[in-house]
Structures are given as C-alpha cells and as structure tokens.
Amino acid sequence: MITETDVLRLAQSHFPENTISWIDDLGSWVRHNFRVHFTDRKAVVYKFNVNKEWLDSSVHEFRVTEILEKNGLAFSPVLVVDDSLAEIEHPFIAVEQGQGERLDRLMRLKPDDEIKAMYRAVGQFYRKLHAIKGKESGVWVNDPEELFPISPTDYLFENEIKGGSGAALVERGILNKLHYQRIVDVWTANLNYLKNHTPVLVHGSPFPWTIYLDKPASEWQVTRITGLGDTFWWDASYDLTFLIDPPFTFMFDQWRIAFLQGYGVKPEVRRLMLYRLLQIICAINNVYMQPKSEQSETWKQSALSSIPGLLKSLETTLK
C-alpha cells in the first residue's frame, strides 16, 4: 500500500529545490494517483502501477508524450519515470499538473454554444493526432517500434466479443444469446474490412473524462489528454466511435456535427457501427473503468436497446 509519506519521500528526492505544501491522495483509477502541491512550482501528479497483473504503462506513457511533443500536440510534461522498483516497489511516473478542465465536467456547466465550440476543438486535436502514421497496427509497451505479434482487431474480437465482455454479458443474462451470436457473426464477416485501414496513433481511451480543455483567449483548445497507457497504432475510426458516441454520455447531434467540422474527415459509418457494438459490450461490462460520476444505468439500457438496429444495418450491408 502506498501512503502519502511514501510520496512525500519521493517528491522531496525528486524536487529538492522546491517546497511541498500538501499532498492529495486522488485514489485509484487504473493506477494509484497522488497530487503533490508546491509553494513555488506547478503541482506534480504521481501515478503508481499497483496492479501487478497488468502491464506497466509508465515508460509507455512517457514515449507517447515524446510522440505528441514531436508532432506539436498538447501534453503534460513527464518529470520522472521509473520502472526499476529501486525507489519504491511499484513502477511510477510523475507528470506536471496540466492546464484545463475535464470535458465531461465542462459539458455539465457550459451552454450549448460553448460545448459546440469545445467539440470543434476536440475534432481539431484528434485530426492532428490521427495524422501521426505508424508502420503497422499493433500494441506496444516501451518501444513504439516493437509491437505484439497480433492484430488489435483479432485480439479484441477474440477477447472482448467472442470471449471476455460478450460472453460475460450473456452469462449474466444482460445480452441475449441471439444478439451475441449476431454480433460475433457480423464481426467475423467484417474482420478483413476492419483490418484494411491506415495505421495511425490512436488514443485508445478518448473519453469525456480523459480530455481536458481551456479557453485562455477567445477559443477553446485541448490542453492535454490522459489515459495515455492505452495509446497504440490502429484504426482512427476506433477513437472516432468513442468521440461521436461516448460511453456513459448522452450526446446531441449538434455536438457531433461540431466535432466532425473540427475533424474535417468524414468517417466510414460501417466502421463506426462495428466499433460501436464492441464499445457497448465493453462499456456495459465496465471495461473502461469509468469514474463513479459517469456511471449511468440509463445509458446502459439505452445502449443495449440500440444493438438490434446496429445489427440490422450491418447485416443489410452483407447481403
């Protein structure tokens, strides 16, 4: 168990010239996070990998920020990264507290015109992110050139649709067996189609609670994104599905239109529908580890009710 005393010791070692005022235990969301406040510099967020069964993403996150910086995209500077376990028994990364507020919180506070402006800014950010091309699609840990030898398409099909979330929802009686089999069938029929894409850098977790914006002057801008441990090379449409229909978020068409105006590229609807099916079963199975404030049984029921229509549209394209 990591304590504030542990974090104080690390912060004093890493920032000996600065004065610490207090430490917030932010709790665990994927990693155990602490925010260290100083009297003479910006706050620093320490993120510890406390689940030893998961791949550590500390170095991975640092590598992603290097890619973002190289391509002129906003990010939170990484100040310390250590997976040696020499300083503490958990790998960790320390990043400077960035500017901006979470998109989901802003959506609850701001009027419609402001939210549309935010979504145009989000679209512009992800257009630039998806312009970063990779050699091939794949998941990586510490080196963006060294990929696991399996297609992300095949992996998610086998481990979240056929198995994983899909099978779990059937077993719990949440997803009926006929809909489950139809989802497996349409994905099976479209695997080659989904694999035919340009590999780009995808965020992997572009949720309203991982996107931060600020309005320093007259226009909104994305100041940083979090959840960078999920970033990999794949199909831009995977991100777009989350951005157009975010889990646990009720969207309005005018916000979607604003996003697409900022993004500037018309997505393939067929791809969006296929990824939407994947997204729904993962979200309902709580794979995305959404913050408690974002949990919505109403959204889950609405998402489940959309499955027959998605299946009908996709099955029509196969005839």
Side-chain angles (χ1 to χ4, degrees), residues 101-110 208 212 294:
E101 181 58 273
R102 274 174 24 183
L103 174 59
D104 62 324
R105 291 170 178 161
L106 291 168
M107 290 168 71
R108 291 194 288 267
L109 297 171
K110 299 297 183 180
Y212 289 73
E294 300 301 328

Side-chain angles (χ1 to χ4, degrees), residues 30-299:
V30 182
R31 290 180 283 191
H32 193 168
N33 300 329
F34 293 82
R35 183 183 293 116
V36 181
H37 297 267
F38 298 83
T39 60
D40 50 1
R41 63 156 297 130
K42 289 183 179 179
V44 175
V45 178
Y46 278 80
K47 307 176 185 181
F48 298 90
N49 179 20
V50 293
N51 191 327
K52 295 183 179 180
E53 296 180 357
W54 294 356
L55 286 171
D56 174 52
S57 61
S58 300
V59 175
H60 178 101
E61 182 169 337
F62 173 55
R63 297 299 180 207
V64 173
T65 64
E66 289 182 320
I67 296 172
L68 296 179
E69 182 177 25
K70 181 180 178 181
N71 288 273
L73 287 164
F75 67 98
S76 293
V78 174
L79 305 174
V80 185
V81 59
D82 189 349
D83 62 353
S84 69
L85 310 186
E87 294 188 271
I88 194 169
E89 62 180 8
H90 300 279
F92 69 89
I93 186 171
V95 302
E96 187 171 89
Q97 176 70 58
Q99 299 296 314
E101 181 58 273
R102 274 174 24 183
L103 174 59
D104 62 324
R105 291 170 178 161
L106 291 168
M107 290 168 71
R108 291 194 288 267
L109 297 171
K110 299 297 183 180
D112 186 67
D113 284 349
E114 291 285 282
I115 298 174
K116 286 190 289 186
M118 290 177 215
Y119 263 103
R120 275 191 290 272
V122 172
Q124 291 165 358
F125 178 89
Y126 280 93
R127 178 182 64 200
K128 295 175 183 176
L129 182 73
H130 295 156
I132 304 172
K133 293 182 171 57
K135 294 179 181 178
E136 59 182 307
S137 288
V139 174
W140 48 279
V141 183
N142 292 348
D143 186 341
E145 301 293 327
E146 296 181 5
L147 310 180
F148 286 119
I150 183 172
S151 157
T153 310
D154 288 332
Y155 180 84
L156 287 169
F157 174 60
E158 293 293 337
N159 292 279
E160 289 296 355
I161 292 181
K162 287 181 69 176
S165 294
L169 295 182
V170 171
E171 184 176 345
R172 285 152 51 194
I174 296 172
L175 179 66
N176 76 54
K177 292 182 180 179
L178 176 60
H179 286 162
Y180 165 76
Q181 189 57 53
R182 288 170 68 190
I183 292 171
V184 170
D185 290 346
V186 294
W187 258 73
T188 300
N190 280 283
L191 282 174
N192 289 335
Y193 164 71
L194 288 174
K195 292 177 185 178
N196 183 20
H197 60 261
T198 300
V200 301
L201 192 68
V202 297
H203 184 178
S205 293
F207 305 117
W209 56 87
T210 62
I211 300 170
Y212 289 73
L213 297 100
D214 196 9
K215 191 179 182 182
S218 60
E219 295 185 354
W220 286 96
Q221 60 186 34
V222 174
T223 55
R224 57 192 167 107
I225 55 176
T226 59
L228 298 182
D230 295 330
T231 300
F232 61 112
W233 305 111
W234 200 25
D235 182 357
S237 293
Y238 180 71
D239 273 355
L240 293 179
T241 305
F242 290 106
L243 292 159
I244 293 170
D245 277 303
F248 303 97
T249 306
F250 288 97
M251 288 285 284
F252 293 97
D253 284 341
Q254 59 265 34
W255 301 349
R256 295 188 180 97
I257 292 169
F259 169 80
L260 292 171
Q261 287 172 341
Y263 192 72
V265 178
K266 185 178 180 180
E268 296 178 32
V269 175
R270 181 176 163 194
R271 286 183 185 274
L272 297 182
M273 289 192 293
L274 288 160
Y275 291 135
R276 173 77 169 144
L277 289 171
L278 170 65
Q279 176 206 85
I280 289 171
I281 61 175
C282 288
I284 293 173
N285 200 38
N286 296 321
V287 166
Y288 303 134
M289 301 181 69
Q290 67 278 4
K292 290 182 179 179
S293 61
E294 300 301 328
Q295 294 186 35
S296 167
E297 290 302 318
T298 303
W299 181 89

